[in-house]
Amino acid sequence: MEFGGNAVTFSWKSLAAEAALLAGSLLLQQTLVHSIALGSIRPDIPLIALTAVALRRGPVAGLYAGLMLGLVEDIYAINTLGAGALSTCMVGYALGFFEDKVVKSMPATRMLLLGSALLGHDIVYYLAVGFRGEIFWDALLRETVPSAVYTLLVGAAVFYFFARFKSRET
């Protein structure tokens, strides 16, 4: 497929695989995560999947993937409708600027980007919901930081697994 003179590689197969990854992450978040939660601390599986897609496809794909994830997650949080979609699509768009074609990312860089995405997502979310002052800092320290650490551990395992799987294919 060609747009504006530049050849753009587009594969329906990879698009379907990434859509399945995002849908599967939502399914895992609603089913499996409750059983591996440490109290109220849960990993954010959809954000790990969004990071993988945005780093592979770029800012526009990250924006659309984040918007889709955020809208589906907002169905479960009706009193904060829109805040999840806003924060997730902004994070997907920002992550896309570190696309693999632009920045060759090492595993440590991917983890740094995932950690930044987790913090950025929750900061935008809490501000959109209307948390201010002490409530904002309390939510950030009591919910975001522990969940971010847990998500980083799960994300490291996922990225390691896919890196090993990809190296076997080549």
Side-chain angles (χ1 to χ4, degrees), residues 11-93:
S11 166
W12 286 104
K13 186 178 177 181
S14 66
L15 180 66
E18 289 164 355
L21 173 71
L22 294 170
S25 72
L26 286 167
L27 183 64
L28 286 174
Q29 187 71 26
Q30 293 303 317
T31 57
L32 175 72
V33 169
H34 297 292
S35 62
I36 63 171
L38 304 172
S40 66
I41 302 168
R42 298 182 172 118
D44 193 345
I45 306 295
L47 203 55
I48 295 170
L50 176 63
T51 301
V53 169
L55 290 178
R56 180 166 183 202
R57 292 288 178 187
V60 175
L63 175 94
Y64 287 131
L67 181 61
M68 188 271 305
L69 284 173
L71 286 173
V72 171
E73 288 178 332
D74 277 349
I75 291 171
Y76 296 103
I78 197 71
N79 36 335
T80 60
L81 193 60
L86 172 69
S87 58
T88 309
C89 76
M90 286 179 67
V91 166
Y93 184 71

Side-chain angles (χ1 to χ4, degrees), residues 73-126:
E73 288 178 332
D74 277 349
I75 291 171
Y76 296 103
I78 197 71
N79 36 335
T80 60
L81 193 60
L86 172 69
S87 58
T88 309
C89 76
M90 286 179 67
V91 166
Y93 184 71
L95 281 169
F97 283 108
F98 297 96
E99 182 181 10
D100 286 337
K101 294 175 196 144
V102 177
V103 176
K104 271 299 184 203
S105 58
M106 299 171 8
T109 308
R110 287 180 183 271
M111 298 313 300
L112 177 67
L113 291 172
L114 177 59
S116 301
L118 290 161
L119 291 174
H121 174 274
D122 282 3
I123 288 171
V124 171
Y125 180 82
Y126 292 145

